[in-house]
Amino acid sequence: MCVFKKVGVFLVKHKGHSPVDLIITHRKMVEKVFTILVVFCLICLPLVGVNYDLTKYLPDSSPSAQALDIMEEEFTYPGMGRVMLKNVTLYEAKSIKDRIADVDGVDMIMWCDTKTNIYGSSEFIDYSDIGDYYKDGMAYMDVTFSEKDSSSRTHRAVHEIEKIVGDRGLVAGSAVSDTNLGPTINSEVMRVMVLAVIFIFLILTLTTTSWFEPVLFLSVMGIAIVLNMGSNIIFGEISFLSNAVGAVLQLACSMDYSIFLLHSFTHEKANGVEPEQAMANALRSAFTSIGASGATTIVGFLALALMRFGIGPDMGFVLAKGIALSLLTVLLLMPALILRYQALIEKTQHRSFMPQFRGFGVLAYKIRKPVLIIVLLLVIPCYVGQGMADFTYGNEAVSNSPGTPVYAAEQEMNAAFGQSNMMLALVPLDSNITEKAMTDEIDALPYVKLSLGLASAVPEGIPESFLPHSVTGQLHSAHWARVIINVRSAGESDAAFRYADEIRSIIEKYYPDEQTYLVGVTPSTQDIKSIITTDYSFVNIISLLGVALVVAITFKSALLPLVVLIPIEAAVFINTALPYITGQRTMFLGFIIVSCVQLGATIDYSILMTNNYLDARAQGDKKEAAIRAVASSALSVLTSGIILMTVAYALYFLSSVEAVAGLGHLIGRGALLSMILVLFMLPMCLMIFDKWIVKPDYAQKKHARMNRIHAKKLVLPTISALHQQHQRLHEQMRANHRARRQAVHDKLARLLSRREKPAAAPPDETDQPQSNPIDEEETTDENK
C-alpha cells in the first residue's frame, strides 16, 4: 500500500507534465531504477535454464509428444550413447562393458553378449553373427541411460564412461552431444560477443564524430541485453537457439535507436538550444522513427510466436522482449546518460572519417534500371526454389555438427560398424506371443541390427513372473510393452524415414485396432517436419501483414507499405533460395526464422530511405530526391547493415553447432542483400510510385510538426512553498557540514606544517622576547 501511495503522490505532484518532462527532470531516479534492475537480472541470469532437445517443443497433439509422455510415465525416456573400443579382445571388451553397466545412470548396454555366449570356446563363436558388435579387435556398444539426454545424472554418467574408456576408444551419441553442447555453445557465444563488440566499436568509431559515443552506445545496449537475459527467468527455460542468438541479434538490431536519439540531440544542441530542452526536442522528434523501427522489428519477431512448433514462440517472445527492453532503455535511460556525459562527448570530438555520399547517390541513380530488371528476373525463380533446398529438421542438426569431437567420433564409428539409429516401439501389453512374432519380423528386416523385446528375450518355458522386476521393468510396465529396435541408418535421412514407416506398418499389422507408438530421433523428426513445414507459409503471411500495418500507420498511407516491402521481400526470396542454388544443406527451422528476422530487422532501412525521399521530394524533382535520399541514408543503412552482418557472420564462422552457424549465415547474407536492394532498388520503386505516394502538403505538415515540437518548452515540476523551505533547510545543513569539515581540515594542516618545520637553534636568553599569555593560550589550544 505504501508503494501505491507514493506513486499516487508522484502522479498528483506532476499532473500536467508530459512523459518527456518527467524523463528528463527525474533522470537520476531513472538511473537508480535501472541500476537496481541490472543487479537483479545479473542475479537471475544463472537461474535461466537452457533446453537443447527440439522434441520438447512438439505440440501435445503430435504422436511423438504423446509417446514421450507415456515413455516418461511408464519407463522414463532414455538417453542414448555409443561406445567403440579399439585394440581389445572379446573378453577385455566384456570387462569394460560390465564396468560401464555399473555406472550410476546407465540403464542397459546392447552388445553381442545379449544373444551370444562369449565365454564359450572361440571355436563355437560365429564371429560373422556378432560382426555388428565386435570385429578386427574393435568392440561396439549401444548404451541406454536411465534418464533422458539432458538429465544431470546422464551427464555425470557420460563423464564417468569417458573416464572408463579413456584412450582406448570413443564415446558418442545424443547423450554425449547434449553433455558437451551447453559448454560448447556458451564458450562460442562468449567469443562471438567479444568479437562483435570489438568490430561494432570500430564501425561506430568510423561512422560517429566522438571517441566516447561508441562507448555510450555499447553501454546502453549492454544494459538492455542484461535486462533481457535476466528477465528470461519468467519462462523458466529457453531454447539453445534463443540463448545463442538472442543477445547477438538484440545488439545488432537495436543499435539504430541509440544513434537516432544522439544524432537528434546533437542537431538540436547545434542550433543553440539548452541541453535539457534539446533533449526534450530530440525525444519528441526521434520518437516516431525509433518507435516505427522498433515496432516493425517486434512484429516480425512476434510472428514466430504463432508457430505450432514450440521453439517459434520461445524465440519470438525472447527476441521481441529484447527489442522492447532496448526501446525502453534508449528512451528512458539514454537521455540521462547523454546529459550526464555531454561534456565528455564534446571533449572527445573528432573529425568525420566518412566521405560524403553524394557520388554514391549519383551511382545508385545511374544503375537503378539495370538493378530493377535483374532483381525482377531473379525473384520469381528464387520464390519457387526457396522451398526446394535439402533441409534438416531434427536434433541431428544440433548435436552432430562437423567440427565437433562428437561428430568426428560418430564418423569413425560409422566407418567401422555402420550407422546406428535407436527406435523404441510402444505396444499394448496384450499377448507375449503377438509381441514375439512382431519382434521377430522386425528383427528379420535387412537394415535392423537388433530387435529386442521381453517376449523374445525370455527363454521358452520360463514365465515372466519368475524374473526380477529390475529385468522385466526395463521392457514391460503395467500397461505397455517396450521393444528396442536398432536400425542401420542416420537419425535423419530419407532412408531412415522409409525404415520408420515400414516398421510402423509392421507394428500396426500386429496391433490393428489398438494405439501404438514408435519413438526415437527418426519418428520425432518426421513429426517436426510435418508440423514445421505447415508453419512456414502462415508465419510468413502474418509477419508481412504485421509489418505492413505498422508502416501504414507510420506513414498514414495504404500504398507505401507495398513500396517499402518490395526490396526487403525480394532480398528474402533470394537469400532463402541460395541454399538450393548452391546445393547447401540447411536447417528448415533457420529457414523460417530468417524470413521473420530479416524482414523485421532490415525493414528499417526501407523506412529511413522512404522518409528521406519524401523530405527531398518536397524540395526538388524525382531525380534529385532519389540521389539525395541515397546520399542521406547511405551512412545509416551501411552502419546498421554492416553491424548486423558482422555479428551474424561471427556466429557462422565461430560456432561449431550447425544450427547456430547456419542461422548466422542466413541472417548475415540476408542483411547484405537487404542493404544492396534498399540502396540500389528502392529509389527506383519510389520514383515509379511517386505520384501516388508524394502528398502536396507533406512538407507543410512536417514543418508544422517540428514547429510544435520546438514550441513545447520543458516544464519543471512545481514545488510548494513548504517543499522549498525544506530544500533550503537541507542545503543550509549541508553547507554547515562542509564548513565544519573544512575547518577541521585546516587546523590539521596547520598542525602538521608546524611539526614538519626543522627545529631552530635556541636563542640567547637575553635576546628572547617576553612571551605573551594570549599567544601561549592559543598554542595550548592548537596542541590540544
Short mmCIF file of all heavy atoms in Angstrom, two decimals, residues 23-81:
data_model
loop_
_atom_site.label_atom_id
_atom_site.label_comp_id
_atom_site.label_asym_id
_atom_site.label_seq_id
_atom_site.Cartn_x
_atom_site.Cartn_y
_atom_site.Cartn_z
N ILE A 23 10.85 12.27 -17.78
CA ILE A 23 12.07 11.51 -18.08
C ILE A 23 13.31 12.36 -17.84
O ILE A 23 14.30 11.90 -17.26
CB ILE A 23 12.04 11.00 -19.54
CG1 ILE A 23 10.97 9.91 -19.70
CG2 ILE A 23 13.40 10.47 -19.96
CD1 ILE A 23 10.72 9.52 -21.13
N ILE A 24 13.26 13.62 -18.24
CA ILE A 24 14.44 14.49 -18.14
C ILE A 24 14.63 15.00 -16.73
O ILE A 24 15.75 14.99 -16.19
CB ILE A 24 14.32 15.65 -19.14
CG1 ILE A 24 14.34 15.10 -20.57
CG2 ILE A 24 15.43 16.67 -18.94
CD1 ILE A 24 14.06 16.13 -21.63
N THR A 25 13.56 15.45 -16.10
CA THR A 25 13.70 16.05 -14.77
C THR A 25 13.97 15.02 -13.68
O THR A 25 14.53 15.35 -12.63
CB THR A 25 12.44 16.86 -14.41
OG1 THR A 25 11.29 16.02 -14.53
CG2 THR A 25 12.29 18.04 -15.34
N HIS A 26 13.59 13.77 -13.93
CA HIS A 26 13.81 12.71 -12.93
C HIS A 26 14.80 11.68 -13.44
O HIS A 26 14.69 10.49 -13.16
CB HIS A 26 12.47 12.04 -12.57
CG HIS A 26 11.51 12.93 -11.87
ND1 HIS A 26 11.58 13.21 -10.53
CD2 HIS A 26 10.46 13.65 -12.35
CE1 HIS A 26 10.61 14.04 -10.19
NE2 HIS A 26 9.91 14.32 -11.28
N ARG A 27 15.80 12.16 -14.16
CA ARG A 27 16.75 11.22 -14.77
C ARG A 27 17.62 10.52 -13.73
O ARG A 27 18.04 9.37 -13.96
CB ARG A 27 17.62 11.95 -15.79
CG ARG A 27 18.34 13.20 -15.29
CD ARG A 27 19.06 13.88 -16.45
NE ARG A 27 19.81 15.06 -16.06
CZ ARG A 27 19.31 16.27 -16.01
NH1 ARG A 27 18.04 16.48 -16.33
NH2 ARG A 27 20.07 17.29 -15.66
N LYS A 28 17.89 11.14 -12.59
CA LYS A 28 18.68 10.46 -11.56
C LYS A 28 17.91 9.28 -10.98
O LYS A 28 18.49 8.22 -10.71
CB LYS A 28 19.06 11.45 -10.46
CG LYS A 28 20.07 12.50 -10.90
CD LYS A 28 20.51 13.38 -9.75
CE LYS A 28 21.55 14.41 -10.20
NZ LYS A 28 21.97 15.30 -9.10
N MET A 29 16.59 9.46 -10.82
CA MET A 29 15.77 8.36 -10.35
C MET A 29 15.76 7.22 -11.37
O MET A 29 15.82 6.03 -11.02
CB MET A 29 14.34 8.85 -10.08
CG MET A 29 13.42 7.76 -9.52
SD MET A 29 11.69 8.30 -9.46
CE MET A 29 11.83 9.68 -8.33
N VAL A 30 15.70 7.58 -12.65
CA VAL A 30 15.72 6.57 -13.72
C VAL A 30 17.03 5.77 -13.66
O VAL A 30 17.02 4.54 -13.78
CB VAL A 30 15.57 7.25 -15.10
CG1 VAL A 30 15.81 6.25 -16.22
CG2 VAL A 30 14.19 7.87 -15.24
N GLU A 31 18.15 6.46 -13.45
CA GLU A 31 19.43 5.77 -13.36
C GLU A 31 19.44 4.78 -12.19
O GLU A 31 19.95 3.66 -12.32
CB GLU A 31 20.57 6.78 -13.20
CG GLU A 31 20.83 7.62 -14.44
CD GLU A 31 21.90 8.68 -14.20
OE1 GLU A 31 22.33 8.82 -13.03
OE2 GLU A 31 22.30 9.36 -15.16
N LYS A 32 18.89 5.18 -11.05
CA LYS A 32 18.85 4.29 -9.89
C LYS A 32 17.98 3.07 -10.15
O LYS A 32 18.34 1.94 -9.80
CB LYS A 32 18.34 5.05 -8.67
CG LYS A 32 19.29 6.14 -8.17
CD LYS A 32 18.68 6.92 -7.01
CE LYS A 32 19.61 8.04 -6.55
NZ LYS A 32 19.01 8.84 -5.43
N VAL A 33 16.83 3.29 -10.80
CA VAL A 33 15.93 2.17 -11.10
C VAL A 33 16.61 1.17 -12.03
O VAL A 33 16.57 -0.05 -11.81
CB VAL A 33 14.62 2.68 -11.72
CG1 VAL A 33 13.79 1.52 -12.26
CG2 VAL A 33 13.81 3.47 -10.70
N PHE A 34 17.27 1.66 -13.07
CA PHE A 34 17.96 0.76 -14.00
C PHE A 34 19.12 0.05 -13.32
O PHE A 34 19.40 -1.13 -13.63
CB PHE A 34 18.44 1.53 -15.24
CG PHE A 34 17.42 1.59 -16.33
CD1 PHE A 34 16.48 2.61 -16.38
CD2 PHE A 34 17.38 0.62 -17.31
CE1 PHE A 34 15.53 2.67 -17.39
CE2 PHE A 34 16.44 0.66 -18.33
CZ PHE A 34 15.52 1.69 -18.37
N THR A 35 19.80 0.71 -12.41
CA THR A 35 20.89 0.05 -11.67
C THR A 35 20.36 -1.13 -10.87
O THR A 35 20.93 -2.23 -10.88
CB THR A 35 21.59 1.05 -10.74
OG1 THR A 35 22.10 2.14 -11.51
CG2 THR A 35 22.72 0.38 -9.98
N ILE A 36 19.23 -0.92 -10.19
CA ILE A 36 18.61 -2.00 -9.40
C ILE A 36 18.18 -3.14 -10.32
O ILE A 36 18.40 -4.32 -10.01
CB ILE A 36 17.41 -1.45 -8.60
CG1 ILE A 36 17.90 -0.45 -7.54
CG2 ILE A 36 16.65 -2.58 -7.94
CD1 ILE A 36 16.78 0.31 -6.86
N LEU A 37 17.57 -2.80 -11.46
CA LEU A 37 17.10 -3.84 -12.39
C LEU A 37 18.26 -4.64 -12.96
O LEU A 37 18.17 -5.87 -13.11
CB LEU A 37 16.30 -3.20 -13.52
CG LEU A 37 14.94 -2.61 -13.14
CD1 LEU A 37 14.31 -1.92 -14.35
CD2 LEU A 37 14.01 -3.70 -12.61
N VAL A 38 19.36 -3.98 -13.27
CA VAL A 38 20.52 -4.68 -13.82
C VAL A 38 21.09 -5.65 -12.80
O VAL A 38 21.42 -6.81 -13.12
CB VAL A 38 21.60 -3.67 -14.29
CG1 VAL A 38 22.92 -4.38 -14.55
CG2 VAL A 38 21.15 -2.96 -15.55
N VAL A 39 21.22 -5.21 -11.54
CA VAL A 39 21.74 -6.09 -10.49
C VAL A 39 20.82 -7.29 -10.31
O VAL A 39 21.28 -8.45 -10.21
CB VAL A 39 21.89 -5.31 -9.17
CG1 VAL A 39 22.24 -6.26 -8.02
CG2 VAL A 39 22.95 -4.22 -9.31
N PHE A 40 19.51 -7.05 -10.30
CA PHE A 40 18.55 -8.14 -10.13
C PHE A 40 18.65 -9.14 -11.30
O PHE A 40 18.64 -10.36 -11.09
CB PHE A 40 17.13 -7.57 -10.06
CG PHE A 40 16.05 -8.61 -9.97
CD1 PHE A 40 15.83 -9.31 -8.80
CD2 PHE A 40 15.26 -8.90 -11.08
CE1 PHE A 40 14.84 -10.28 -8.73
CE2 PHE A 40 14.27 -9.86 -11.02
CZ PHE A 40 14.06 -10.55 -9.83
N CYS A 41 18.77 -8.64 -12.53
CA CYS A 41 18.84 -9.53 -13.70
C CYS A 41 20.15 -10.30 -13.74
O CYS A 41 20.19 -11.45 -14.20
CB CYS A 41 18.66 -8.73 -14.98
SG CYS A 41 16.96 -8.15 -15.23
N LEU A 42 21.24 -9.69 -13.26
CA LEU A 42 22.50 -10.41 -13.17
C LEU A 42 22.40 -11.58 -12.19
O LEU A 42 23.00 -12.64 -12.41
CB LEU A 42 23.63 -9.47 -12.75
CG LEU A 42 24.14 -8.49 -13.82
CD1 LEU A 42 25.11 -7.50 -13.21
CD2 LEU A 42 24.80 -9.25 -14.97
N ILE A 43 21.65 -11.39 -11.12
CA ILE A 43 21.44 -12.48 -10.15
C ILE A 43 20.59 -13.58 -10.78
O ILE A 43 20.83 -14.78 -10.57
CB ILE A 43 20.77 -11.93 -8.88
CG1 ILE A 43 21.71 -10.95 -8.16
CG2 ILE A 43 20.37 -13.06 -7.93
CD1 ILE A 43 21.07 -10.20 -7.01
N CYS A 44 19.58 -13.19 -11.58
CA CYS A 44 18.68 -14.17 -12.18
C CYS A 44 19.31 -14.92 -13.35
O CYS A 44 18.86 -16.02 -13.71
CB CYS A 44 17.41 -13.48 -12.68
SG CYS A 44 16.37 -12.78 -11.38
N LEU A 45 20.32 -14.33 -13.96
CA LEU A 45 20.89 -14.87 -15.19
C LEU A 45 21.31 -16.34 -15.07
O LEU A 45 20.96 -17.16 -15.94
CB LEU A 45 22.07 -14.00 -15.63
CG LEU A 45 22.60 -14.20 -17.05
CD1 LEU A 45 21.49 -14.06 -18.07
CD2 LEU A 45 23.71 -13.20 -17.34
N PRO A 46 22.04 -16.75 -14.02
CA PRO A 46 22.44 -18.17 -13.94
C PRO A 46 21.27 -19.12 -13.69
O PRO A 46 21.43 -20.33 -13.83
CB PRO A 46 23.43 -18.18 -12.75
CG PRO A 46 23.80 -16.77 -12.51
CD PRO A 46 22.63 -15.95 -12.93
N LEU A 47 20.13 -18.58 -13.29
CA LEU A 47 18.99 -19.43 -12.95
C LEU A 47 18.12 -19.75 -14.16
O LEU A 47 17.17 -20.54 -14.04
CB LEU A 47 18.13 -18.73 -11.89
CG LEU A 47 18.86 -18.30 -10.60
CD1 LEU A 47 17.90 -17.58 -9.66
CD2 LEU A 47 19.49 -19.49 -9.91
N VAL A 48 18.41 -19.16 -15.32
CA VAL A 48 17.62 -19.42 -16.53
C VAL A 48 18.11 -20.72 -17.16
O VAL A 48 19.29 -20.87 -17.49
CB VAL A 48 17.76 -18.26 -17.54
CG1 VAL A 48 16.95 -18.56 -18.80
CG2 VAL A 48 17.31 -16.96 -16.91
N GLY A 49 17.20 -21.70 -17.31
CA GLY A 49 17.56 -22.97 -17.91
C GLY A 49 17.65 -22.88 -19.42
O GLY A 49 17.03 -22.02 -20.05
N VAL A 50 18.43 -23.78 -20.02
CA VAL A 50 18.58 -23.84 -21.48
C VAL A 50 18.28 -25.26 -21.94
O VAL A 50 18.83 -26.22 -21.39
CB VAL A 50 20.01 -23.43 -21.92
CG1 VAL A 50 20.13 -23.49 -23.43
CG2 VAL A 50 20.34 -22.04 -21.41
N ASN A 51 17.39 -25.39 -22.92
CA ASN A 51 16.99 -26.69 -23.43
C ASN A 51 17.61 -26.92 -24.81
O ASN A 51 17.60 -26.04 -25.66
CB ASN A 51 15.46 -26.76 -23.55
CG ASN A 51 15.01 -28.06 -24.21
OD1 ASN A 51 15.36 -29.14 -23.76
ND2 ASN A 51 14.26 -27.94 -25.28
N TYR A 52 18.15 -28.12 -25.02
CA TYR A 52 18.81 -28.46 -26.29
C TYR A 52 18.04 -29.53 -27.08
O TYR A 52 18.51 -29.96 -28.13
CB TYR A 52 20.23 -28.97 -26.02
CG TYR A 52 21.10 -27.96 -25.31
CD1 TYR A 52 21.20 -27.94 -23.93
CD2 TYR A 52 21.80 -27.00 -26.03
CE1 TYR A 52 21.99 -27.00 -23.27
CE2 TYR A 52 22.58 -26.05 -25.39
CZ TYR A 52 22.68 -26.06 -24.02
OH TYR A 52 23.45 -25.12 -23.38
N ASP A 53 16.90 -29.95 -26.58
CA ASP A 53 16.14 -31.03 -27.21
C ASP A 53 14.96 -30.44 -27.99
O ASP A 53 14.01 -29.92 -27.40
CB ASP A 53 15.64 -32.00 -26.14
CG ASP A 53 14.94 -33.22 -26.73
OD1 ASP A 53 14.95 -33.35 -27.98
OD2 ASP A 53 14.38 -34.00 -25.96
N LEU A 54 14.99 -30.54 -29.31
CA LEU A 54 13.92 -29.98 -30.13
C LEU A 54 12.61 -30.73 -29.96
O LEU A 54 11.54 -30.15 -30.17
CB LEU A 54 14.33 -30.00 -31.61
CG LEU A 54 15.49 -29.08 -32.01
CD1 LEU A 54 15.75 -29.18 -33.50
CD2 LEU A 54 15.19 -27.64 -31.63
N THR A 55 12.67 -32.01 -29.59
CA THR A 55 11.43 -32.78 -29.44
C THR A 55 10.56 -32.24 -28.31
O THR A 55 9.35 -32.48 -28.28
CB THR A 55 11.74 -34.27 -29.17
OG1 THR A 55 12.51 -34.38 -27.96
CG2 THR A 55 12.55 -34.85 -30.32
N LYS A 56 11.16 -31.50 -27.40
CA LYS A 56 10.40 -30.94 -26.28
C LYS A 56 9.42 -29.87 -26.76
O LYS A 56 8.46 -29.53 -26.05
CB LYS A 56 11.36 -30.35 -25.25
CG LYS A 56 10.70 -30.00 -23.92
CD LYS A 56 11.74 -29.69 -22.88
CE LYS A 56 11.08 -29.43 -21.52
NZ LYS A 56 12.07 -29.16 -20.47
N TYR A 57 9.64 -29.34 -27.98
CA TYR A 57 8.78 -28.27 -28.50
C TYR A 57 7.68 -28.79 -29.42
O TYR A 57 6.99 -28.01 -30.05
CB TYR A 57 9.65 -27.24 -29.23
CG TYR A 57 10.63 -26.56 -28.32
CD1 TYR A 57 11.98 -26.86 -28.38
CD2 TYR A 57 10.20 -25.64 -27.37
CE1 TYR A 57 12.89 -26.24 -27.54
CE2 TYR A 57 11.10 -25.03 -26.51
CZ TYR A 57 12.44 -25.33 -26.61
OH TYR A 57 13.33 -24.72 -25.75
N LEU A 58 7.55 -30.12 -29.51
CA LEU A 58 6.45 -30.67 -30.30
C LEU A 58 5.13 -30.36 -29.61
O LEU A 58 5.02 -30.43 -28.38
CB LEU A 58 6.61 -32.18 -30.46
CG LEU A 58 7.69 -32.65 -31.43
CD1 LEU A 58 7.98 -34.14 -31.22
CD2 LEU A 58 7.24 -32.41 -32.86
N PRO A 59 4.08 -30.04 -30.37
CA PRO A 59 2.77 -29.82 -29.74
C PRO A 59 2.24 -31.09 -29.10
O PRO A 59 2.58 -32.20 -29.52
CB PRO A 59 1.89 -29.36 -30.91
CG PRO A 59 2.58 -29.82 -32.14
CD PRO A 59 4.05 -29.83 -31.82
N ASP A 60 1.43 -30.93 -28.08
CA ASP A 60 0.93 -32.09 -27.33
C ASP A 60 0.12 -33.04 -28.20
O ASP A 60 -0.02 -34.23 -27.86
CB ASP A 60 0.05 -31.60 -26.17
CG ASP A 60 0.87 -30.84 -25.13
OD1 ASP A 60 2.10 -31.04 -25.09
OD2 ASP A 60 0.28 -30.03 -24.40
N SER A 61 -0.44 -32.56 -29.30
CA SER A 61 -1.27 -33.40 -30.16
C SER A 61 -0.46 -34.31 -31.07
O SER A 61 -1.01 -35.23 -31.68
CB SER A 61 -2.18 -32.53 -31.04
OG SER A 61 -1.41 -31.64 -31.83
N SER A 62 0.83 -34.11 -31.20
CA SER A 62 1.64 -34.91 -32.10
C SER A 62 1.88 -36.30 -31.50
O SER A 62 1.98 -36.46 -30.28
CB SER A 62 2.98 -34.23 -32.37
OG SER A 62 3.75 -34.17 -31.19
N PRO A 63 1.97 -37.35 -32.36
CA PRO A 63 2.20 -38.70 -31.84
C PRO A 63 3.47 -38.83 -31.02
O PRO A 63 3.48 -39.53 -29.99
CB PRO A 63 2.27 -39.55 -33.12
CG PRO A 63 1.53 -38.78 -34.15
CD PRO A 63 1.76 -37.34 -33.81
N SER A 64 4.54 -38.18 -31.44
CA SER A 64 5.81 -38.29 -30.70
C SER A 64 5.69 -37.69 -29.31
O SER A 64 6.22 -38.24 -28.34
CB SER A 64 6.93 -37.60 -31.47
OG SER A 64 7.27 -38.32 -32.63
N ALA A 65 4.98 -36.56 -29.18
CA ALA A 65 4.80 -35.94 -27.87
C ALA A 65 3.99 -36.85 -26.95
O ALA A 65 4.32 -37.01 -25.77
CB ALA A 65 4.12 -34.59 -28.01
N GLN A 66 2.93 -37.46 -27.49
CA GLN A 66 2.13 -38.38 -26.69
C GLN A 66 2.96 -39.60 -26.28
O GLN A 66 2.88 -40.06 -25.13
CB GLN A 66 0.91 -38.82 -27.50
CG GLN A 66 -0.05 -37.69 -27.82
CD GLN A 66 -1.17 -38.11 -28.74
OE1 GLN A 66 -1.25 -39.27 -29.14
NE2 GLN A 66 -2.05 -37.17 -29.08
N ALA A 67 3.77 -40.12 -27.22
CA ALA A 67 4.59 -41.29 -26.90
C ALA A 67 5.64 -40.95 -25.85
O ALA A 67 5.91 -41.76 -24.95
CB ALA A 67 5.27 -41.79 -28.18
N LEU A 68 6.22 -39.77 -25.94
CA LEU A 68 7.22 -39.37 -24.96
C LEU A 68 6.60 -39.24 -23.57
O LEU A 68 7.24 -39.58 -22.57
CB LEU A 68 7.87 -38.05 -25.38
CG LEU A 68 8.79 -38.12 -26.61
CD1 LEU A 68 9.23 -36.73 -27.02
CD2 LEU A 68 10.01 -38.99 -26.32
N ASP A 69 5.37 -38.74 -23.50
CA ASP A 69 4.69 -38.65 -22.20
C ASP A 69 4.49 -40.04 -21.60
O ASP A 69 4.70 -40.24 -20.39
CB ASP A 69 3.34 -37.95 -22.37
CG ASP A 69 3.50 -36.46 -22.66
OD1 ASP A 69 4.59 -35.92 -22.38
OD2 ASP A 69 2.55 -35.84 -23.19
N ILE A 70 4.06 -40.98 -22.45
CA ILE A 70 3.86 -42.35 -21.96
C ILE A 70 5.19 -42.95 -21.52
O ILE A 70 5.29 -43.60 -20.47
CB ILE A 70 3.21 -43.22 -23.06
CG1 ILE A 70 1.79 -42.73 -23.34
CG2 ILE A 70 3.20 -44.69 -22.65
CD1 ILE A 70 1.14 -43.39 -24.53
N MET A 71 6.22 -42.73 -22.32
CA MET A 71 7.54 -43.27 -22.00
C MET A 71 8.05 -42.70 -20.69
O MET A 71 8.60 -43.43 -19.85
CB MET A 71 8.51 -42.93 -23.14
CG MET A 71 9.84 -43.63 -23.04
SD MET A 71 9.77 -45.34 -23.57
CE MET A 71 9.66 -45.12 -25.33
N GLU A 72 7.87 -41.40 -20.49
CA GLU A 72 8.31 -40.77 -19.24
C GLU A 72 7.56 -41.36 -18.05
O GLU A 72 8.14 -41.60 -16.98
CB GLU A 72 8.06 -39.26 -19.31
CG GLU A 72 8.95 -38.53 -20.31
CD GLU A 72 10.25 -38.07 -19.70
OE1 GLU A 72 10.48 -38.38 -18.52
OE2 GLU A 72 11.02 -37.42 -20.40
N GLU A 73 6.27 -41.59 -18.23
CA GLU A 73 5.44 -42.07 -17.12
C GLU A 73 5.68 -43.55 -16.81
O GLU A 73 5.75 -43.95 -15.66
CB GLU A 73 3.97 -41.84 -17.46
CG GLU A 73 3.03 -42.22 -16.34
CD GLU A 73 1.58 -41.94 -16.70
OE1 GLU A 73 1.33 -41.26 -17.70
OE2 GLU A 73 0.69 -42.42 -15.96
N GLU A 74 5.82 -44.37 -17.86
CA GLU A 74 5.90 -45.81 -17.67
C GLU A 74 7.33 -46.32 -17.52
O GLU A 74 7.61 -47.22 -16.73
CB GLU A 74 5.25 -46.52 -18.87
CG GLU A 74 3.78 -46.16 -19.09
CD GLU A 74 2.86 -46.84 -18.10
OE1 GLU A 74 3.25 -47.87 -17.53
OE2 GLU A 74 1.74 -46.33 -17.90
N PHE A 75 8.26 -45.77 -18.32
CA PHE A 75 9.62 -46.30 -18.33
C PHE A 75 10.70 -45.25 -18.07
O PHE A 75 11.83 -45.60 -17.74
CB PHE A 75 9.94 -46.93 -19.70
CG PHE A 75 9.02 -48.05 -20.08
CD1 PHE A 75 7.96 -47.83 -20.95
CD2 PHE A 75 9.22 -49.33 -19.58
CE1 PHE A 75 7.12 -48.86 -21.32
CE2 PHE A 75 8.38 -50.37 -19.95
CZ PHE A 75 7.33 -50.14 -20.82
N THR A 76 10.39 -43.98 -18.28
CA THR A 76 11.33 -42.87 -18.49
C THR A 76 11.91 -42.98 -19.90
O THR A 76 12.15 -44.07 -20.40
CB THR A 76 12.50 -42.80 -17.48
OG1 THR A 76 13.43 -43.85 -17.76
CG2 THR A 76 12.01 -42.89 -16.06
N TYR A 77 12.08 -41.82 -20.52
CA TYR A 77 12.62 -41.79 -21.89
C TYR A 77 14.13 -41.77 -21.80
O TYR A 77 14.72 -40.82 -21.30
CB TYR A 77 12.11 -40.57 -22.64
CG TYR A 77 12.59 -40.50 -24.08
CD1 TYR A 77 12.33 -41.55 -24.95
CD2 TYR A 77 13.33 -39.41 -24.55
CE1 TYR A 77 12.76 -41.50 -26.26
CE2 TYR A 77 13.76 -39.36 -25.85
CZ TYR A 77 13.48 -40.41 -26.71
OH TYR A 77 13.91 -40.38 -28.00
N PRO A 78 14.80 -42.81 -22.30
CA PRO A 78 16.24 -42.93 -22.04
C PRO A 78 17.08 -42.07 -22.98
O PRO A 78 16.73 -41.83 -24.13
CB PRO A 78 16.50 -44.42 -22.32
CG PRO A 78 15.51 -44.79 -23.36
CD PRO A 78 14.28 -43.96 -23.07
N GLY A 79 18.19 -41.61 -22.45
CA GLY A 79 19.21 -41.02 -23.30
C GLY A 79 19.98 -42.12 -24.00
O GLY A 79 20.00 -43.28 -23.55
N MET A 80 20.61 -41.79 -25.11
CA MET A 80 21.31 -42.78 -25.92
C MET A 80 22.78 -42.43 -26.05
O MET A 80 23.15 -41.25 -26.18
CB MET A 80 20.70 -42.86 -27.32
CG MET A 80 19.21 -43.19 -27.34
SD MET A 80 18.89 -44.87 -26.79
CE MET A 80 17.10 -44.95 -26.98
N GLY A 81 23.63 -43.47 -26.02
CA GLY A 81 25.05 -43.28 -26.21
C GLY A 81 25.65 -44.41 -27.02
O GLY A 81 25.05 -45.48 -27.18
#
